[in-house]
Amino acid sequence: MKYRSAFDIIGPVMIGPSSSHTAGAARIGRVARTLFGKLPKKAIISLYGSFAKTYKGHGTDFAIIAGLLDFDTFDERMPKSLEIAQEKGIEVIFRTEEAITNHPNTVKINLFDGQDKLEMVGISIGGGTIEITELNSFPLKLSGEHPAVLVVHQDRFGIISAVTSILSRCEINIGHMEVARLEKGEMALMVIEVDQKIEDMVIEELKNLANVTQIIRMVE
């Protein structure tokens, strides 16, 4: 992995003990909360590799739940997040998995609230840096470090061009973009990381595009 600065090695301002197992885990949880759009009623946390072996000692358990509660890495409430989640009526289930993954610090988060559900896979790379690698069966690459918009849409001709045209007209520069689809002509996903905040009016324009079913805004 290439580090951009010394802070990628030292890690973020955080509640310890580990930048990868605690701060990174909290950031993964917080991205899941953002993508879900609300506090879940139930969370199933499946841990793999090093996460599965050391999650209690390194605080990965309370860190992920802190992220789901929308706590930042330096929030002093983080160590009490499991108790806070219980007080809020959130059912939390931790599972340790034996499957071998591509990265040792891997977690799958399943969130539920009535008919609403989300499945997300994230990895903690080190120094608090994370990457989201899967969302509802869509493979993707999302760092969570930059403003981004996720566009869920029907796989139709011209959708990608329509989305990028709106961003271009609003002078929003695209730093990274990925597209994926489950089947030809079926549900598809665009993941677009940009260099500046995406305003509400841009989000509304994107929502009004034909064949777009959901817009999720990620804020740095």
Side-chain angles (χ1 to χ4, degrees):
M1 174 185 175
K2 293 182 179 179
Y3 295 101
R4 292 166 296 179
S5 73
F7 292 104
D8 289 342
I9 302 172
I10 297 170
V13 178
M14 67 174 197
I15 302 295
S18 168
S19 60
S20 60
H21 287 64
T22 314
R27 284 181 167 173
I28 292 172
R30 203 173 187 196
V31 170
R33 162 65 182 267
T34 300
L35 293 174
F36 196 57
K38 57 183 173 180
L39 199 64
K41 298 293 186 183
K42 180 178 179 180
I44 299 177
I45 314 297
S46 302
L47 301 159
Y48 299 83
S50 179
F51 269 1
K53 294 177 181 177
T54 65
Y55 75 97
K56 289 186 178 180
H58 283 174
T60 305
D61 50 356
F62 70 69
I64 291 173
I65 301 306
L68 294 180
L69 292 170
D70 205 25
F71 297 169
D72 210 330
T73 56
F74 50 81
D75 196 306
E76 294 182 356
R77 296 172 294 174
M78 186 185 292
K80 297 291 185 181
S81 63
L82 293 170
E83 292 92 331
I84 295 171
Q86 186 176 22
E87 292 170 1
K88 291 181 177 292
I90 304 171
E91 180 184 0
V92 177
I93 299 171
F94 285 95
R95 295 174 176 171
T96 56
E97 306 288 351
E98 297 293 334
I100 298 175
T101 56
N102 291 331
H103 194 282
N105 299 333
T106 298
V107 58
K108 180 170 68 176
I109 299 176
N110 289 87
L111 303 180
F112 306 89
D113 182 1
Q115 297 298 314
D116 297 331
K117 56 185 178 180
L118 173 142
E119 180 176 286
M120 189 195 85
V121 177
I123 60 175
S124 179
I125 300 172
T129 303
I130 68 168
E131 186 174 293
I132 307 306
T133 60
E134 188 176 311
L135 175 64
N136 294 338
S137 300
F138 286 103
L140 72 154
K141 184 178 180 180
L142 180 66
S143 70
E145 295 183 356
H146 307 285
V149 61
L150 282 67
V151 182
V152 183
H153 61 96
Q154 293 295 317
D155 181 32
R156 298 289 188 272
F157 175 82
I159 295 294
I160 294 175
S161 176
V163 169
T164 55
S165 293
I166 289 174
L167 298 180
S168 175
R169 176 163 46 79
C170 296
E171 299 184 350
I172 297 174
N173 191 50
I174 296 173
H176 177 80
M177 179 174 179
E178 289 192 11
V179 296
R181 63 185 182 185
L182 297 180
E183 296 287 344
K184 182 179 178 180
E186 299 298 325
M187 195 66 69
L189 174 69
M190 274 181 263
V191 180
I192 307 171
E193 290 188 333
V194 298
D195 292 340
Q196 64 261 46
K197 179 182 177 182
I198 303 174
E199 301 293 340
D200 291 344
M201 59 174 292
V202 179
I203 296 298
E204 290 303 314
E205 280 199 61
L206 294 174
K207 286 181 178 178
N208 290 330
L209 288 174
N211 296 308
V212 169
T213 58
Q214 185 181 15
I215 299 291
I216 304 171
R217 175 170 48 185
M218 301 283 297
V219 180
E220 184 182 10

